[in-house]
């Protein structure tokens, strides 16, 4: 009962925070900053046709030390994949969530290094929360597939292929189903509304052995709340590695309300 009460209170507080800041966070981002040019770069919208195959959204709050390694590893993978597959196009969208350290400088250094077409920076101006940062990046991404990932590089970038594979399999099944019932099949994968979420549930026993006892109690209580809210099919809501088709991202992120850590559960 105590855990459920805490959950409801937290959800209510997050909701109030979200309503207070939504007008500021939702304001349109007209142009993107390009440190290499004075020319204004129009900011795209999730409602525009896709211009890239994949967008990677990285929320960053005081990540001056960890962000450079993550960007270099991510861009190295993307460049190598684009070299092998000429049809593969990509962008990395770094959303600064009001950092007070050198995160913005690191992000713009990456723009200079890899070009504004491949790396883009969106600044929120204040700390609104991880959910708000990811939402902003998703609403201004250009990809058919959109991946959210953490700035600390906790998940290997190559694991995105596992999520991509699951989405492709679902899209193929959906097209087969539509052909069977004489509907027009979808030509672009981004038009199929499907998501694939990374999960660390298989590592739970290992994590239990290394966590403090009180953290394990809190974790079990949190899992109980998720079970009551979302059902038994969700094993891990908090993994920061989630992929969306453009259609799914459009439907989800224009409706999401929570701005901080609970946004994962809302998704």
């Amino acid at each position: 009962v105590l855990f459920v009460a805490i959950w409801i209170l937290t959800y209510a507080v997050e909701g109030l925070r979200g309503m207070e800041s939504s007008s500021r966070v939702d304001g349109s981002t007209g142009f993107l900053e390009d440190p290499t040019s004075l020319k204004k770069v129009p900011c795209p919208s999730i409602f525009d046709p896709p211009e890239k195959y994949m967008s990677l959204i990285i929320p960053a709050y005081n990540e001056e030390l960890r962000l450079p390694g993550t960007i270099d590893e991510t861009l190295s993978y993307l460049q190598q994949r684009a070299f092998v597959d000429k049809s593969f196009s990509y962008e990395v969208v770094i959303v600064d969530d009001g950092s007070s350290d050198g995160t913005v400088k690191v992000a713009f250094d990456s723009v200079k290094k890899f070009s504004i077409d491949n790396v883009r920076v969106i600044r929120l101006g204040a700390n609104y929360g991880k959910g708000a940062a990811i939402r902003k990046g998703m609403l201004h991404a250009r990809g058919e597939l959109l991946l959210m990932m953490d700035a600390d590089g906790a998940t290997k970038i190559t694991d995105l292929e596992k999520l991509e594979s699951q989405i492709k399999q679902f899209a193929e099944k959906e097209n087969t189903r539509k052909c069977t019932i004489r509907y027009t099949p979808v030509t672009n994968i981004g038009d199929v509304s499907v998501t694939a979420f990374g999960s660390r549930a298989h590592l739970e026993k290992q994590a239990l052995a290394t966590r403090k006892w009180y953290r394990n109690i809190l974790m079990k209580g949190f899992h109980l709340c998720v079970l009551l809210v979302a059902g038994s099919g969700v094993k891990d809501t908090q993994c920061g590695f989630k992929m969306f088709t453009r259609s799914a991202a459009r439907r989800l992120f224009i409706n999401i309300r929570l701005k901080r850590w609970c946004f994962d559960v809302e998704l």
Side-chain angles (χ1 to χ4, degrees), residues 23-250:
S23 59
R24 287 170 287 177
V25 176
D26 293 345
S28 61
T29 304
F31 296 94
L32 296 170
E33 297 179 54
D34 182 0
T36 65
S37 171
L38 295 176
K39 185 178 179 180
K40 291 184 177 181
V41 180
C43 191
S45 167
I46 191 70
F47 295 98
D48 297 335
E51 299 176 20
K52 300 284 187 178
Y53 174 70
M54 187 176 293
S55 296
L56 290 79
I57 289 84
I58 305 178
Y61 176 66
N62 291 343
E63 293 287 357
E64 177 186 4
L65 299 179
R66 296 190 293 185
L67 187 59
T70 299
I71 293 175
D72 287 343
E73 180 184 354
T74 301
L75 267 296
S76 176
Y77 164 81
L78 295 172
Q79 287 175 331
Q80 184 179 6
R81 183 166 169 181
F83 179 77
V84 175
D85 180 4
K86 301 303 180 184
S87 66
F88 179 80
S89 57
Y90 62 88
E91 68 170 348
V92 175
V93 181
I94 304 168
V95 186
D96 174 62
D97 188 23
S99 299
S100 57
D101 64 355
T103 298
V104 173
K105 182 183 182 302
V106 170
F108 279 121
D109 284 345
S110 299
V111 178
K112 295 176 184 177
K113 182 177 180 181
F114 299 105
S115 84
I116 188 70
D117 187 51
N118 292 326
V119 179
R120 297 186 162 193
V121 179
I122 296 176
R123 302 173 65 178
L124 294 188
N127 177 235
Y128 293 113
K130 182 180 179 181
I134 290 176
R135 181 179 188 270
K136 192 71 170 177
M138 289 283 176
L139 293 181
H140 297 291
R142 294 177 290 166
E144 286 191 70
L145 297 179
L146 297 87
L147 174 77
M148 56 174 268
M149 57 180 288
D150 292 334
D152 61 359
T155 306
K156 291 189 299 182
I157 188 62
T158 52
D159 283 345
L160 70 83
E161 295 174 13
K162 299 177 181 178
L163 305 185
E164 182 184 1
S165 173
Q166 290 296 312
I167 286 180
K168 284 183 175 179
Q169 288 180 33
F170 183 90
E172 289 174 2
K173 290 179 180 177
E174 186 69 6
N175 272 337
T176 301
R177 185 186 68 83
K178 287 187 174 183
C179 287
T180 303
I181 56 178
R182 297 183 180 179
Y183 277 105
T184 304
V186 176
T187 55
N188 296 322
I189 192 172
D191 294 331
V192 181
S193 293
V194 58
T195 68
F197 290 178
S199 174
R200 300 156 301 182
H202 59 292
L203 302 174
E204 184 174 348
K205 290 183 179 180
Q206 178 183 343
L208 284 172
T210 58
R211 284 199 194 101
K212 298 290 186 180
W213 63 269
Y214 55 85
R215 289 193 65 193
N216 286 329
I217 292 176
L218 290 172
M219 182 198 69
K220 290 294 184 182
F222 177 74
H223 286 177
L224 174 61
C225 293
V226 172
L227 176 67
L228 295 174
V229 173
S232 59
V234 181
K235 301 298 182 184
D236 180 10
T237 60
Q238 303 308 112
C239 181
F241 212 64
K242 296 179 171 68
M243 184 176 284
F244 311 79
T245 61
R246 192 170 186 81
S247 174
R250 184 163 51 240

